[in-house]
Amino acid sequence: QVQPVESGGGSVQAGGSLTLSCGASAYTFRYSCLAWFRQFPGKEREGVARVLPSGRPTYYADSVKGRFTVSRDLANGTLNLEMNSLKPEDSAMYYCAAGPLSGGDCPPLSESAYNFLGQGTQVTVSS
């Protein structure tokens, strides 16, 4: 099984933009809930955004609403996270993850409910 792999991280100044991408197997991409998490030093991963297998976003963390957009690129088989108006407090390691669809919905964004199969990509925002 192909593991999701994150890319697109880097260093930007506050107010800048980055787009993260995550590749996954065709099966995972088509049938799983896909999500972005981030982890601050010394903290547990926290959910940032989530999409249904249909591609419809169903969750954004309050801290990123209006600035981040999660989407699926069907042509390339990637899950993307477009991040605009970045703030220093967005600096973290970002991970993509897959979770099971159940009853037509995705599980809550907890570490235990999702599979983190990539190494993450670092985002650093300087003031």
Side-chain angles (χ1 to χ4, degrees):
Q1 182 178 0
V2 175
Q3 309 301 318
V5 176
E6 304 93 345
S7 64
S11 298
V12 296
Q13 290 190 326
S17 300
L18 285 172
T19 297
L20 308 182
S21 293
C22 170
S25 69
Y27 183 90
T28 297
F29 195 80
R30 182 179 294 272
Y31 297 110
S32 299
C33 298
L34 297 173
W36 285 99
F37 286 72
R38 64 185 180 185
Q39 187 172 28
F40 302 109
K43 303 287 188 179
E44 291 188 351
R45 292 183 181 104
E46 64 176 39
V48 175
R50 178 185 64 202
V51 294
L52 288 168
S54 65
R56 183 170 69 88
T58 59
Y59 175 85
Y60 286 102
D62 288 342
S63 59
V64 307
K65 283 180 181 176
R67 300 187 299 121
F68 290 13
T69 302
V70 62
S71 64
R72 299 191 316 164
D73 183 334
L74 294 176
N76 294 310
T78 59
L79 175 73
N80 299 323
L81 184 67
E82 181 181 351
M83 306 185 296
N84 298 311
S85 302
L86 282 162
K87 304 175 181 180
E89 52 264 43
D90 294 318
S91 297
M93 185 71 80
Y94 284 72
Y95 300 88
C96 70
L101 183 70
S102 178
D105 204 353
C106 297
L109 288 174
S110 67
E111 287 189 290
S112 61
Y114 286 78
N115 294 319
F116 298 88
L117 303 179
Q119 297 299 309
T121 186
Q122 178 68 40
V123 172
T124 303
V125 185
S126 58
S127 58

